[in-house]
Amino acid sequence: MKKMFFLVLMCVPLHAFSQSWLTKEEDYFFVSTGVDIRNAIFGGTVNDAAFDGTYSIGYRNAGFSILAYYENFSAIRYESAGLNPGYVFRPGKILVPVADISLSFIRRPWKVFPSLALNTRIEFHFSKFFIYLRGESRWRTDYDFFQVSVYGGISYKFGFPD
């Protein structure tokens, strides 16, 4: 009986996310590019001002979001890649807050390190794209400290019915 209850409990949310009542604003893929604003203007904890770019692809389905990203910061020989599952607070609206967790790896020339970050994002949506501002609190396991960064970028939506 407990197994049956657990199975039903797990399947109900999956079924709810797959319903046809989703509108094009709530169900789409997206590609994004962005820059670490703090690093570009002020520099960081271990560097002078320099370009730190991010590239990602993701999927949204109502309140659920997932994205895969790659970050390249060649000035300090830093790369990061990971998956960010998250929650969309106001799907289908013009101003959309999102929170996610980043499960990732940091690659340095001497080693690869696991990493974890908490992200909050505010997005301003247009019909086929959105712009975003993202705050990130990352545990930098390559240097063993917390790093706060602010990113800005643009995303293009695709893959939803017209």
Side-chain angles (χ1 to χ4, degrees), residues 46 76-79 106-113 140 142-143:
V46 295
I76 63 168
R77 298 171 27 194
Y78 171 96
E79 292 176 294
I106 295 172
R107 183 172 167 254
R108 300 306 297 257
W110 59 90
K111 193 174 176 184
V112 174
F113 303 85
R140 289 285 304 270
D142 56 336
Y143 286 120

Side-chain angles (χ1 to χ4, degrees), residues 3-150:
K3 287 181 183 178
M4 179 65 95
F5 177 75
F6 181 74
L7 183 64
V8 170
L9 189 63
M10 294 302 292
C11 291
V12 169
L14 293 174
H15 178 70
F17 280 123
S18 67
Q19 293 300 306
S20 61
W21 50 262
L22 295 174
T23 66
K24 66 182 180 181
E25 290 85 16
E26 296 170 321
D27 187 16
Y28 56 87
F29 292 93
F30 60 94
V31 292
S32 302
T33 187
V35 64
D36 185 329
I37 298 168
R38 186 182 65 87
N39 266 325
I41 297 171
F42 305 110
T45 310
V46 295
N47 62 279
D48 294 328
F51 176 77
D52 177 7
T54 63
Y55 313 93
S56 59
I57 185 164
Y59 174 70
R60 294 269 173 85
N61 187 327
F64 174 75
S65 174
I66 189 149
L67 66 89
Y69 81 93
Y70 171 73
E71 178 179 5
N72 184 10
F73 192 5
S74 58
I76 63 168
R77 298 171 27 194
Y78 171 96
E79 292 176 294
S80 178
L83 285 174
N84 296 19
Y87 183 76
V88 181
F89 288 92
R90 295 170 24 115
K93 304 295 184 187
I94 292 174
L95 193 61
V96 178
V98 180
D100 65 38
I101 186 166
S102 178
L103 309 168
S104 57
F105 290 95
I106 295 172
R107 183 172 167 254
R108 300 306 297 257
W110 59 90
K111 193 174 176 184
V112 174
F113 303 85
S115 185
L116 186 65
L118 299 175
N119 298 296
T120 55
R121 176 190 314 247
I122 190 76
E123 302 171 347
F124 192 80
H125 285 252
F126 302 92
S127 63
K128 295 276 188 181
F129 71 96
F130 59 91
I131 57 175
Y132 68 86
L133 190 62
R134 173 173 63 95
E136 176 185 82
S137 297
R138 175 173 297 282
W139 181 252
R140 289 285 304 270
T141 52
D142 56 336
Y143 286 120
D144 201 26
F145 63 79
F146 257 106
Q147 177 84 39
V148 176
S149 298
V150 178

